[in-house]
Amino acid sequence: MTHNVTATSAAEAEKAITATRTDGHTERVRVFDTTLRDGEQAPGINLDAATKVAIAAHLERLAVDVIEAGFPASSPGDFKAVSRVAEAARGATVAALARILPEDIDRAAQALRPALKPRLHTFIATSPIHLKNKLFMTEREVIEAIAAGVSRARSHVADVEFSAEDATRTDPAFLKEAYETAIRNGARTCNVADTVGYCLPEQFGELVAWLIHEVPGGQEVVWSVHCHNDLGLATANALAGIRAGARQAEVTVNGIGERAGNCSLEELVLALRTHAGSIGLDTGVDTTHIGQASELTATSTGYPVPANKAIVGRNAFAHESGIHQHGVLLARETYEHIDAATLGLRGGQLVLGKHSGRHGFTAALAQLGVELSDAELRAAYAEFKAVADQRSPLTSDELRELAGKYRAGRETAAHALR
Ligand SMILES: [Zn+2]
């Protein structure tokens, strides 16, 4: 990939960010959630209309700016689901996806009819690989399709987003022409899709900065980023695009989506919020609903959240090793820089296993409401270490049972004295 990207445009974008930072002003990044569209496209996920409405209600509680509800032309079921979400959502803009084909665009517009704030999101691939292998179209034909498609979308709704699919493997001069055509025909949001998760953060940031600077009309629209996780860089790439000037990020709850998934909503939101003071950018997301949204998405899609997933994984706020448990018991920020309570999650969770020490063991028993004398505690701890060395971690019930044996011993002794 060779982007004809000037160092000046990237430097200018960086300078703009520094300017926002020094005057203490925080600029807003719009969150476009595509859990119900790209997320649903992950193999094996099938969400019916009622489930989409339930997830959309959680997304509204999170206060995302846009909910992409589906791809109406893909099936009658999805048409109905998009319609139902459009009817139910009252705060967020509801988007529907359409290939840049008249019938797809009309179908999406029809599904969006009940929406208070409809957005038609139309796309076409621009890379030579996609033109040759999938679209069987020339570059001229693609430009004509963009002009016709975007203006048709605008004849239905005012809010039109255009995406160049596989933008990151597209010749920059042609990509520039594609976006210019979309803007001239009425697109208000231009989305740069790293469809196959190919870019490195510096490359992606430079491309976005270059497009904003070079595309005629590029300063008048909102630029958006859509990053996939094939190299594990989706969040890093989305952040690089935002720092280069994009003001919308397309994300999914738990990072689900095609193949390795999309940029995860919770990761992007927390990265921006954690560093809002230094980078001067933030989203409007109410993080207190993140825990619930993650759980509902996992159960509805059948895609469990990996234990070590950032922010919402079971272990994101759990500690097993003695040194970490001791630190967290003294002050939670020793090993947790995010306050789990602000996400609707529980922080400082102690997992009792072979790496745990006396401080963690004592605190875990206290949390279970088990009181032991010093001598009993010593004996129980010795047994715990022996058991945990063979089989860990121990569940709360196992811990209670283990400690109970020593406590029971004391009670038996007390009975005997009576
Ligand atoms: Zn995607």
Side-chain angles (χ1 to χ4, degrees), residues 174-218:
F174 179 60
L175 190 61
K176 179 182 153 185
E177 194 185 347
Y179 287 118
E180 182 186 354
T181 306
I183 294 169
R184 218 180 30 243
N185 285 281
R188 287 183 176 178
T189 305
C190 286
N191 183 45
V192 186
D194 187 25
T195 304
V196 294
Y198 171 75
C199 266
L200 295 174
E202 310 83 80
Q203 295 170 330
F204 191 66
E206 277 183 15
L207 175 65
V208 171
W210 183 79
L211 288 167
I212 295 173
H213 193 257
E214 293 296 320
V215 174

Side-chain angles (χ1 to χ4, degrees), residues 51 135 148 237 264 280 334:
T51 310
L135 294 175
N237 283 340
S264 120
T334 316

Side-chain angles (χ1 to χ4, degrees), residues 34 37-38 41 193-195 226-228 250 257-259 261-262:
T34 184
R37 202 278 300 165
D38 206 316
Q41 284 176 211
D194 187 25
T195 304
H226 182 103
C227 298
H228 276 272
E250 303 198 353
E258 292 273 12
R259 306 178 313 282
N262 283 77

Side-chain angles (χ1 to χ4, degrees), residues 34-248:
T34 184
T35 307
L36 302 180
R37 202 278 300 165
D38 206 316
E40 199 203 14
Q41 284 176 211
I45 300 181
N46 186 343
L47 304 172
D48 61 14
T51 310
K52 284 201 172 186
V53 168
I55 295 175
H58 269 73
L59 294 171
E60 287 224 272
R61 265 172 237 144
L62 281 170
V64 303
D65 300 278
V66 185
I67 297 171
E68 185 164 56
F71 191 168
S74 69
S75 77
D78 214 39
F79 177 91
K80 182 178 154 205
V82 172
S83 252
R84 292 273 307 279
V85 172
E87 213 173 273
R90 282 303 167 252
T93 293
V94 176
L97 186 71
R99 286 171 298 181
I100 212 144
L101 299 170
E103 54 278 21
D104 264 39
I105 291 167
D106 295 350
R107 195 89 176 120
Q110 213 184 332
L112 286 172
R113 211 160 279 156
L116 278 182
K117 292 190 269 176
R119 171 178 298 186
L120 216 154
H121 179 196
T122 188
F123 76 98
I124 189 164
T126 49
S127 69
I129 301 170
H130 281 234
L131 263 62
K132 179 169 170 275
N133 298 335
K134 181 184 89 173
L135 294 175
F136 312 110
M137 285 169 86
T138 64
E139 289 191 345
R140 281 314 98 206
E141 287 166 338
V142 168
I143 294 296
E144 281 160 26
I146 294 171
V150 172
S151 52
R152 190 179 191 101
R154 273 303 301 265
S155 74
H156 291 298
V157 296
D159 186 355
V160 171
E161 172 171 337
F162 168 74
S163 282
E165 187 190 6
D166 206 18
T168 50
R169 294 191 298 172
T170 300
D171 166 56
F174 179 60
L175 190 61
K176 179 182 153 185
E177 194 185 347
Y179 287 118
E180 182 186 354
T181 306
I183 294 169
R184 218 180 30 243
N185 285 281
R188 287 183 176 178
T189 305
C190 286
N191 183 45
V192 186
D194 187 25
T195 304
V196 294
Y198 171 75
C199 266
L200 295 174
E202 310 83 80
Q203 295 170 330
F204 191 66
E206 277 183 15
L207 175 65
V208 171
W210 183 79
L211 288 167
I212 295 173
H213 193 257
E214 293 296 320
V215 174
Q219 316 275 334
E220 273 75 61
V221 296
V222 173
W223 287 85
S224 168
V225 291
H226 182 103
C227 298
H228 276 272
N229 209 28
D230 299 67
L231 293 174
L233 293 170
T235 306
N237 283 340
L239 272 174
I242 289 165
R243 298 200 72 191
R247 288 296 175 266
Q248 174 178 287

